[in-house]
Amino acid sequence: MGLGICRTNRKEFDNSDFNFKRFEFDIESFTEYLEITNTSIDEKLKKDIKEYRKIDDPELASLLFDDLEMYIKSNTLQLYYSSIIISLYSFLEQTMLELCTVAEKNNNLKIEDISGKGIFKFKTYLEKVIHIDFEPINTEWKEISQYNHLRNLFVHYSNSLMNESTATKRKNSIQEIKGLKFHDNSENILIEFENDIAVRNFITTIGSFISKIYFENI
């Protein structure tokens, strides 16, 4: 994740309690896990192809395999990728808390004095108390806010289903995330992953976001 330039961490984070190298290792581990996930699913498909080739009726084998392939892509991938999104969001939230905790040691105003919850509370602390300029990070923050809606969807709605009457604001935000597709009916909206782009982009966004907070100049 090195950017090829000299980087100096902000003095507020000049503390051994936060190790940026560890953060880089952790975020890269998510990419490695995604690769392992994709590989394991591909291997399962290859294994199933071999099994269906043993079926005497070619038309039946083709029909069964098509159904299985569709199931794996629409259900297994959904399960894996939504789980990674949730884990990434928790990782981001924990990392922001760690940065606030380090900076808090030299400030009279404490994290608990700030209103709000989760990443929004921590952003307020970093912006208002540590005086970090979020203008250069607005792009990343906007994307993170979109992933916040997506994460909440996975946590609070079964099978990524949103009720149409309460989904408008959330959908408008989520639909800007690349790699997702929407299925609407009269009552619900189903969101599915088309590929792993949404996960990869979230990993990249978190890496860029934390780097711009931690370092003086990026």
Side-chain angles (χ1 to χ4, degrees):
M1 289 176 59
L3 299 180
I5 61 175
C6 181
R7 302 181 296 181
T8 303
N9 63 280
R10 300 178 193 274
K11 58 182 178 59
E12 292 87 356
F13 305 130
D14 190 13
N15 189 303
S16 60
D17 290 344
F18 185 86
N19 188 322
F20 190 81
K21 289 294 184 183
R22 187 199 67 200
F23 164 76
E24 287 187 311
F25 175 82
D26 289 342
I27 197 70
E28 288 171 0
S29 295
F30 279 102
T31 299
E32 293 177 4
Y33 177 68
L34 179 61
E35 298 292 350
I36 293 172
T37 298
N38 290 335
T39 299
S40 65
I41 292 174
D42 287 341
E43 289 300 320
K44 177 172 176 54
L45 283 172
K46 291 177 182 178
K47 179 180 178 181
D48 290 332
I49 289 174
K50 292 181 179 179
E51 291 298 319
Y52 287 126
R53 282 176 177 170
K54 298 177 183 178
I55 299 177
D56 293 333
D57 187 338
E59 292 186 5
L60 177 60
S62 177
L63 177 62
L64 291 173
F65 177 71
D66 287 344
D67 288 344
L68 178 67
E69 184 179 33
M70 182 178 296
Y71 176 83
I72 289 175
K73 289 183 177 180
S74 64
N75 291 276
T76 307
L77 286 180
Q78 180 72 22
L79 174 63
Y80 275 113
Y81 292 168
S82 61
S83 297
I84 297 175
I85 291 292
I86 293 171
S87 296
L88 277 166
Y89 187 89
S90 296
F91 171 70
L92 168 65
E93 191 170 49
Q94 180 60 37
T95 302
M96 291 181 71
L97 172 59
E98 289 180 16
L99 288 171
C100 289
T101 301
V102 170
E104 181 187 50
K105 294 180 179 180
N106 296 317
N107 283 275
N108 293 325
L109 194 62
K110 304 304 179 184
I111 301 170
E112 63 183 22
D113 298 325
I114 302 297
S115 61
K117 295 181 180 180
I119 64 170
F120 301 99
K121 180 188 187 79
F122 305 143
K123 175 183 181 288
T124 300
Y125 190 86
L126 293 168
E127 189 172 26
K128 304 301 182 183
V129 180
I130 310 304
H131 304 297
I132 292 178
D133 181 11
F134 268 73
E135 185 66 30
I137 325 176
N138 276 342
T139 298
E140 288 86 352
W141 180 250
K142 178 182 177 182
E143 292 176 1
I144 287 170
S145 298
Q146 293 164 357
Y147 280 97
N148 166 261
H149 285 292
L150 185 63
R151 175 263 183 191
N152 289 341
L153 167 67
F154 294 144
V155 170
H156 300 298
Y157 289 82
S158 175
N159 298 321
S160 305
L161 281 171
M162 292 189 292
N163 184 281
E164 180 69 41
S165 63
T166 59
T168 303
K169 180 180 178 181
R170 185 164 286 165
K171 180 187 176 184
N172 289 341
S173 179
I174 293 174
Q175 67 185 359
E176 295 187 34
I177 300 174
K178 295 179 180 178
L180 299 177
K181 58 183 178 180
F182 298 79
H183 303 282
D184 294 19
N185 59 37
S186 59
E187 297 181 353
N188 297 303
I189 299 173
L190 173 65
I191 297 179
E192 291 183 340
F193 292 93
E194 291 185 304
N195 46 49
D196 64 5
I197 293 299
V199 182
R200 291 187 184 277
N201 285 348
F202 196 23
I203 293 172
T204 300
T205 297
I206 291 174
S208 176
F209 180 71
I210 296 299
S211 294
K212 290 181 178 181
I213 289 176
Y214 184 77
F215 292 109
E216 289 280 2
N217 297 300
I218 293 292

